[in-house]
Amino acid sequence: MTHPLPLARPAGLVDQFGRVARDLRVSVTDRCNLRCTYCMPAEGLPWLPKAEMLTDDELLRVIGVFVRDGVTQVRLTGGEPLLRRSIVELVAGIAALTPRPRIAMTTNGVGLARVAQGLADAGLDRVNVSLDTIDAETFTRLTRRDRIDDVEAGLKAAADAGLTPVKVNAVAMRGVNDEAVADLLGWCLDRGYELRFIEQMPLDAQHAWDRRDMVTAEEIQARLSERYTLTPLPAADRGSAPAERFLVDDGPGTVGIIASVTAPFCAACDRTRLTADGQVRNCLFSRTETDLRTPLRAGASDEQLRDLVRGEMWRKRRGHGIGDPDFVQPDRPMSAIGG
Ligand code: SAM
């Protein structure tokens, strides 16, 4: 799909509202070894055929196009990024790019203990581990897998490997883990992990999200405040980071709450996304995407790929539009976009 670009459009990964993309999220696979009930059905999803997925060389070439056009952080995600066999080599390849971006990963932590040191040695800078509960039974019910011990070991290995600050991402769900958010915070504080809650978004494969069921940022804050004194950190420290951060008791521990639905941070968004099958998306909630795989495989130059990426960024909408009367959930679920 080609779109004419206005002549006055500035160079780089900018959009019509003046935002500049600096943070590239790369989904390296759509597969996952957990089956979180809020993300995908028990039987999994029809996975991308291998031939449609970018190879490591293709991924590195495209990521290079982004970093030479202003991206300064690359976050590897999925699906579960550790399921990509070549993940350590991929990290090393990204670390060898010029200019060298910061490299982060979002993982469920299940396979992290085995590979954390290798990833750190290859150039990974930071890791976010998704963990919604520290109650073993709730974890198994929620993820449909009995793997909480592996996640705990993965978190410890990440800290030991210097992938710090180790961050923990959690989604609070009504009647599942919302009454235990303070337990999760206590557990993270004891171990020096930085916990961040994120409001659940309409990105589930089942399309079952209902705003009325969503646990809001306000509720999470109220629940945490029953046990801890939360002092908001200055908004100036926040930049384009979506989390409102609080000092817990007298510190040094902090907690973040991301009100992605009730107080969206679209105005400060600096993100862009590349899917495992080579599609650029300018927003999690985008209903369109720009195909890089076809031109890449047809021999496009780096400049041609760059112009396609710039065109996709230019079309970024002002906001994600959840809550608008005409909002339609994207066809791709979170697991195939890259969370
Ligand atoms: N497998 C990796 C992991 O678990 O971190 C990376 C992909 S996963 C889709 C990324 C993050 O998205 C996880 O923290 C998960 O909890 C979160 N997530 C999934 N579905 C979500 C939704 N509907 N709303 C908000 N967060 C969601």
Side-chain angles (χ1 to χ4, degrees):
M1 190 168 48
T2 55
H3 294 262
L5 298 177
L7 289 174
R9 190 174 65 81
L13 301 178
V14 292
D15 66 40
Q16 299 171 64
F17 305 98
R19 295 167 298 191
V20 182
R22 304 246 177 249
D23 179 350
L24 171 65
R25 315 220 145 189
V26 182
S27 173
V28 297
T29 176
D30 60 331
R31 288 166 192 257
C32 195
N33 44 2
L34 298 183
R35 292 288 180 275
C36 299
T37 48
Y38 60 93
C39 194
M40 62 170 80
E43 65 277 14
L45 292 165
W47 312 123
L48 287 170
K50 191 154 191 270
E52 288 181 17
M53 290 177 55
L54 297 192
T55 64
D56 286 359
D57 286 346
E58 288 172 334
L59 270 177
L60 288 173
R61 177 148 171 236
V62 172
I63 296 170
V65 167
F66 277 93
V67 300
R68 287 190 294 281
D69 219 16
V71 158
T72 54
Q73 166 155 298
V74 175
R75 175 173 293 279
L76 301 174
T77 177
E80 171 47 39
L82 298 181
L83 291 186
R84 187 152 178 142
R85 287 215 181 93
S86 55
I87 192 71
V88 172
E89 291 76 21
L90 203 52
V91 168
I94 298 168
L97 292 172
T98 308
R100 194 253 202 231
R102 287 188 307 280
I103 311 170
M105 182 181 287
T106 302
T107 167
N108 62 33
V110 168
L112 194 54
R114 175 178 49 79
V115 80
Q117 189 61 57
L119 288 168
D121 294 344
L124 187 71
D125 297 302
R126 289 196 297 114
V127 74
N128 290 47
V129 175
S130 304
L131 178 64
D132 301 318
T133 176
I134 40 130
D135 178 75
E137 197 194 309
T138 308
F139 181 95
T140 304
R141 199 159 14 100
L142 187 58
T143 66
R144 301 187 179 106
R145 299 288 186 272
D146 179 12
R147 305 299 295 269
I148 194 168
D149 292 345
D150 297 310
V151 181
E152 287 190 34
L155 278 162
K156 184 170 181 315
D160 291 346
L163 296 171
T164 49
V166 173
K167 294 193 178 172
V168 171
N169 290 356
V171 179
M173 279 150 292
R174 200 169 303 287
V176 180
N177 62 346
D178 58 329
E179 289 181 10
V181 289
D183 294 341
L184 182 58
L185 177 56
W187 189 89
C188 289
L189 290 171
D190 287 347
R191 289 159 183 79
Y193 306 146
E194 262 187 55
L195 176 63
R196 299 162 0 131
F197 288 96
I198 182 161
E199 283 176 346
Q200 193 177 1
M201 298 177 283
L203 287 168
D204 53 318
Q206 303 91 316
H207 289 226
W209 181 89
D210 185 336
R211 193 185 182 110
R212 289 163 301 185
D213 283 347
M214 189 189 71
V215 181
T216 63
E218 203 180 337
E219 285 179 72
I220 295 167
Q221 188 181 335
R223 283 242 182 235
L224 296 177
S225 299
E226 289 167 6
R227 194 177 305 172
Y228 297 100
T229 303
L230 302 188
T231 312
L233 288 165
D237 291 353
R238 193 168 160 182
S240 59
E244 178 171 13
R245 291 178 65 229
F246 300 87
L247 198 65
V248 183
D249 290 342
D250 292 329
T254 61
V255 65
I257 306 179
I258 306 177
S260 35
V261 176
T262 56
F265 53 95
C266 303
C269 178
D270 66 349
R271 298 177 179 182
T272 180
R273 293 187 147 78
L274 177 67
T275 64
D277 55 342
Q279 312 296 308
V280 186
R281 298 178 61 90
N282 61 33
C283 173
L284 263 180
F285 296 95
S286 207
R287 303 269 316 150
T288 58
E289 32 193 52
T290 293
D291 176 25
L292 293 189
R293 188 188 68 228
T294 306
L296 177 72
R297 292 185 177 171
S301 66
D302 281 7
E303 288 66 33
Q304 287 168 324
L305 296 176
R306 182 200 65 192
D307 287 347
L308 286 168
V309 174
R310 286 182 178 183
E312 174 65 21
M313 291 321 298
W314 186 251
R315 287 186 290 280
K316 183 162 167 154
R317 290 183 309 152
R318 187 191 288 275
H320 59 40
I322 305 173
D324 291 355
D326 59 348
F327 175 78
V328 182
Q329 183 172 337
D331 294 333
R332 272 188 201 258
M334 181 76 130
S335 59
I337 298 172

